[in-house]
Amino acid sequence: MKKFRSLDFLIISIVLASGVFLCVKNAMRPAAKVHVKAADIEYEYSAKEDGIHKVQGVLGITTFEIKDGKIRIIDSPCPNKICVHQGWDSPLVCLPNNVIISLEDEKGDYDALTN
């Protein structure tokens, strides 16, 4: 069995430090807007204002929450509720109700693009 050498530790340390830096940088990025597309109608909300909002989809009303620049779906009329179980994430998608919710940062960059 081979032993670790000092260069091995250096490479592992650099990879770990880079991973931590990228995770922290992404988590610290402030979201500015929440874009919602529901039943081919588009809505825009401020990600800086906490609140609970409702949008009409093809099956009924989807309720989502904005808190601390993050989003989650609280309730939706879809049968399997996968969108509710996505948690605090972006983009959030409820396919049966035709609702897509995504965050846009200060520079206008999206977390994800959809059609």
Side-chain angles (χ1 to χ4, degrees):
M1 182 173 195
K2 294 183 180 183
K3 294 184 179 182
F4 280 107
R5 295 182 285 193
S6 59
L7 185 57
D8 296 332
F9 285 114
L10 178 65
I11 292 172
I12 291 170
S13 298
I14 290 172
V15 169
L16 287 174
S18 298
V20 168
F21 172 75
L22 291 174
C23 288
V24 169
K25 180 181 173 191
N26 192 35
M28 299 296 285
R29 181 180 63 182
K33 297 178 186 173
V34 175
H35 287 274
V36 180
K37 185 174 181 183
D40 295 326
I41 299 173
E42 295 191 23
Y43 305 90
E44 186 173 287
Y45 301 88
S46 172
K48 296 177 182 181
E49 295 179 22
D50 294 351
I52 295 175
H53 306 280
K54 297 180 180 198
V55 292
Q56 179 70 43
V58 295
L59 297 177
I61 294 175
T62 294
T63 306
F64 67 96
E65 180 180 15
I66 301 171
K67 187 173 182 181
D68 300 327
K70 299 181 287 185
I71 53 173
R72 71 176 175 148
I73 294 178
I74 297 171
D75 188 41
S76 192
C78 57
N80 54 15
K81 307 285 187 200
I82 291 175
C83 57
V84 175
H85 300 295
Q86 291 179 71
W88 298 95
D89 205 357
S90 177
L92 296 169
V93 179
C94 181
L95 287 178
N97 203 25
N98 195 16
V99 174
I100 301 170
I101 306 170
S102 60
L103 290 171
E104 179 184 317
D105 69 12
E106 301 268 348
K107 295 180 258 178
D109 296 333
Y110 286 94
D111 283 344
L113 295 175
T114 60
N115 288 353

